[in-house]
């Protein structure tokens, strides 16, 4: 679906701008042989291999976001009568100011979104052989002023707690599709997984080129080996107190009745919900599933439907585990794959903030 900015560019120059953006994107694959080296079959194959590795340096979602960042910036430059290359610190500073002010039909962006846009531009410039000095005064001082004037505390998604997840799974039907979605919710909650980590799981190691990890099932639980944002990590999911709410039992049942013994764990189903297909689910399915079951289960029913939908997302599963698990904080940190305890605490919506009382410990 086109963005609002793409829709607004409906004048006669839109087609040529789009063509320029495509050419810019092609240039981003500019890993090639040095000009003074003659090509050969083996070297050309190595160039293709190097390009594949370069594309694997970031996730598909990150690359898509960076591509959109570049397309937006390139279009903005051309509408202002400038060129996006080579990078101009002055123009980038003006671009950031435009994003923050919300001038014209586009709404003002949050500070975190602006910072992410800037990271996307830096990445794109690097791929095109240019360096962006983010410490340049035209960029750094404008960004500092934006932060000082517009920065707000981050808006956290609501945590899905134990009683919520139990209510959500009971809303699902008892066909194959319902079994799959029940497994997604239980595994995502018990593992504290990101939605991308859930759908990227394979049955075995190296089953598919786009695998993000694999599963092993034991008597006492399941071990997930994940290639996550912070690198490889292992996530242990123990068996629950009863089969109806046990994530490992649900996983076993799904694999058995869907007849999945190779490739992606979570795949689409036929229209009647009775037959598993071969296509891996998109991570957006997890977000839609969470929002739908939140509504069906009547969670936060005192709020209007629009507000309820805005409160919950894929991150609600991770926040739910962090908030509900009554165990030592370091175990939660390990399960979520956080580099610091401080990051884990951001996910804990119901922790006792004053459990450690430094005032009394200091003698007051």
């Amino acid at each position: 679906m086109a963005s609002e900015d793409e829709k607004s560019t409906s004048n006669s120059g839109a087609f040529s701008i789009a063509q320029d953006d495509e050419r810019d994107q092609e240039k981003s694959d500019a890993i090639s042989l040095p000009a003074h080296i003659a090509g050969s079959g083996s070297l050309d194959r190595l160039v293709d291999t190097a390009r594949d590795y370069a594309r694997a340096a970031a996730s598909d979602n990150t690359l898509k976001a960076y591509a959109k960042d570049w397309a937006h910036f390139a279009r903005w430059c051309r509408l202002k009568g400038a060129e996006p290359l080579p990078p101009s610190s002055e123009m980038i500073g003006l671009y950031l100011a435009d994003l923050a002010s919300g001038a014209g039909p586009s709404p003002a962006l949050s500070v975190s979104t602006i910072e992410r846009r800037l990271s996307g531009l830096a990445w794109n410039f690097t791929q095109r052989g240019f360096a962006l000095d983010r410490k340049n005064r035209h960029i750094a001082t404008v960004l500092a002023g934006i932060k000082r004037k517009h920065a707000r505390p981050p808006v956290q998604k609501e945590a899905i707690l134990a009683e919520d997840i139990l209510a959500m799974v009971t809303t699902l039907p008892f066909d194959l599709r319902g079994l799959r979605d029940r497994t997604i919710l239980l595994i995502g909650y018990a593992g504290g997984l990101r939605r991308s980590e859930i759908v990227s799981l394979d049955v075995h190691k190296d089953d598919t080129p786009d695998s993000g990890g694999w599963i092993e099932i034991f008597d006492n639980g399941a071990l997930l080996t994940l290639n996550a944002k912070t690198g490889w990590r292992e996530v242990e999911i123990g068996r629950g107190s009863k089969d109806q709410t046990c994530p490992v039992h649900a996983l076993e049942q799904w694999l058995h009745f869907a007849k999945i013994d190779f490739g992606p764990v979570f795949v689409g189903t036929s229209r009647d919900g009775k037959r598993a297909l071969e296509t891996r689910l998109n991570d957006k399915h997890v977000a839609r599933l969470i929002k739908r079951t939140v509504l069906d289960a009547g969670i936060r029913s005192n709020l209007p439907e629009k507000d309820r939908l805005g409160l919950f997302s894929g991150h609600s599963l991770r926040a739910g585990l962090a908030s509900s698990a009554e165990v030592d904080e370091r175990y939660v940190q390990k399960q979520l794959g956080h580099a610091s305890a401080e990051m884990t605490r951001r996910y804990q919506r119901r922790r006792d903030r004053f459990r450690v009382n430094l005032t009394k410990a200091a003698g007051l």
Side-chain angles (χ1 to χ4, degrees):
M1 176 177 278
S3 69
E4 292 301 320
D5 294 309
E6 289 169 333
K7 290 177 182 176
S8 66
T9 312
S10 56
N11 54 42
S12 60
F15 180 69
S16 83
I17 289 177
Q19 286 183 316
D20 289 339
D21 289 342
E22 288 178 7
R23 286 194 291 269
D24 287 337
Q25 193 59 42
E26 289 172 2
K27 291 176 185 175
S28 69
D29 271 341
I31 292 179
S32 58
L33 289 171
H36 63 281
I37 300 293
S40 66
S42 61
L43 284 176
D44 289 341
R45 285 192 294 273
L46 280 176
V47 169
D48 291 338
T49 301
R51 286 175 177 168
D52 288 340
Y53 280 128
R55 283 190 288 269
S59 70
D60 287 343
N61 286 341
T62 299
L63 292 176
K64 288 177 183 177
Y66 285 169
K68 289 181 180 179
D69 292 340
W70 180 256
H72 187 274
F73 175 68
R75 185 173 296 109
W76 181 89
C77 284
R78 287 164 185 148
L79 290 174
K80 302 297 182 187
E83 289 296 325
L85 292 173
S88 163
S89 298
E90 293 86 349
M91 287 302 294
I92 293 173
L94 296 178
Y95 176 65
L96 299 181
D98 199 11
L99 295 179
S101 64
S106 300
L109 300 183
S110 68
V111 172
S112 60
T113 301
I114 292 172
E115 288 185 308
R116 206 228 57 222
R117 286 269 180 99
L118 183 57
S119 296
L121 293 185
W123 186 90
N124 276 285
F125 282 127
T126 300
Q127 301 310 303
R128 290 162 172 79
F130 297 95
L132 177 64
D133 181 10
R134 296 179 60 162
K135 295 182 180 179
N136 181 283
R137 63 188 178 87
H138 294 286
I139 298 174
T141 54
V142 170
L143 185 59
I146 291 172
K147 289 181 179 180
R148 185 175 181 85
K149 189 170 182 179
H150 298 296
R152 299 288 185 274
V155 178
Q156 295 183 319
K157 293 298 182 180
E158 194 88 357
I160 290 174
L161 305 176
E163 58 269 25
D164 299 327
I165 200 74
L166 295 177
M168 290 163 65
V169 298
T170 60
T171 67
L172 296 168
F174 288 95
D175 58 6
L176 194 61
R177 183 182 298 150
L179 177 57
R180 178 202 64 194
D181 289 345
R182 188 176 292 106
T183 305
I184 287 174
L185 290 176
L186 292 173
I187 286 288
Y189 179 79
L193 304 180
R194 300 176 178 90
R195 62 187 192 183
S196 60
E197 293 171 344
I198 297 172
V199 299
S200 67
L201 283 170
D202 278 0
V203 178
H204 309 106
K205 182 181 179 182
D206 299 327
D207 274 357
T208 63
D210 59 342
S211 171
W214 66 92
I215 62 172
E216 297 173 84
I217 299 178
F218 303 97
D219 290 340
N220 293 329
L223 177 66
L224 313 184
T225 304
L226 303 172
N227 186 8
K229 286 184 175 181
T230 53
W232 287 98
R233 84 178 196 273
E234 292 183 340
V235 173
E236 299 95 358
I237 299 179
R239 292 188 181 271
S241 55
K242 52 186 178 181
D243 286 348
Q244 292 90 330
T245 58
C246 174
V248 182
H249 179 74
L251 179 60
E252 291 173 322
Q253 294 291 295
W254 160 247
L255 294 176
H256 172 72
F257 287 107
K259 300 178 181 178
I260 295 175
D261 56 12
F262 183 86
V265 171
F266 296 112
V267 296
T269 60
S270 58
R271 292 198 174 193
D272 60 9
K274 297 180 179 179
R275 180 171 55 88
L277 306 177
E278 296 181 356
T279 307
R280 186 189 301 276
L281 283 180
N282 187 287
D283 66 340
K284 291 180 181 177
H285 174 81
V286 180
R288 290 193 295 263
L289 172 62
I290 289 171
K291 291 179 182 294
R292 187 181 78 242
T293 52
V294 160
L295 290 180
D296 292 345
I299 297 170
R300 299 297 298 272
S301 57
N302 58 308
L303 297 176
E305 181 176 306
K306 181 180 178 181
D307 294 343
R308 294 164 66 196
L309 289 174
L311 282 176
F312 297 94
S313 72
H315 260 61
S316 296
L317 293 177
R318 287 167 63 78
L321 176 73
S323 303
S324 299
E326 298 292 338
V327 296
D328 192 292
E329 193 174 75
R330 67 178 183 272
Y331 296 115
V332 179
Q333 180 182 339
K334 177 180 181 295
Q335 190 84 337
L336 298 183
H338 287 156
S340 68
E342 180 58 36
M343 178 59 72
T344 301
R345 294 188 190 108
R346 295 182 191 177
Y347 282 74
Q348 295 173 324
R349 308 290 192 262
R350 294 197 311 186
R351 67 185 178 90
D352 182 1
R353 296 178 180 273
F354 301 102
R355 182 171 60 85
V356 177
N357 191 326
L358 291 181
T359 306
K360 290 183 177 179
L364 298 179

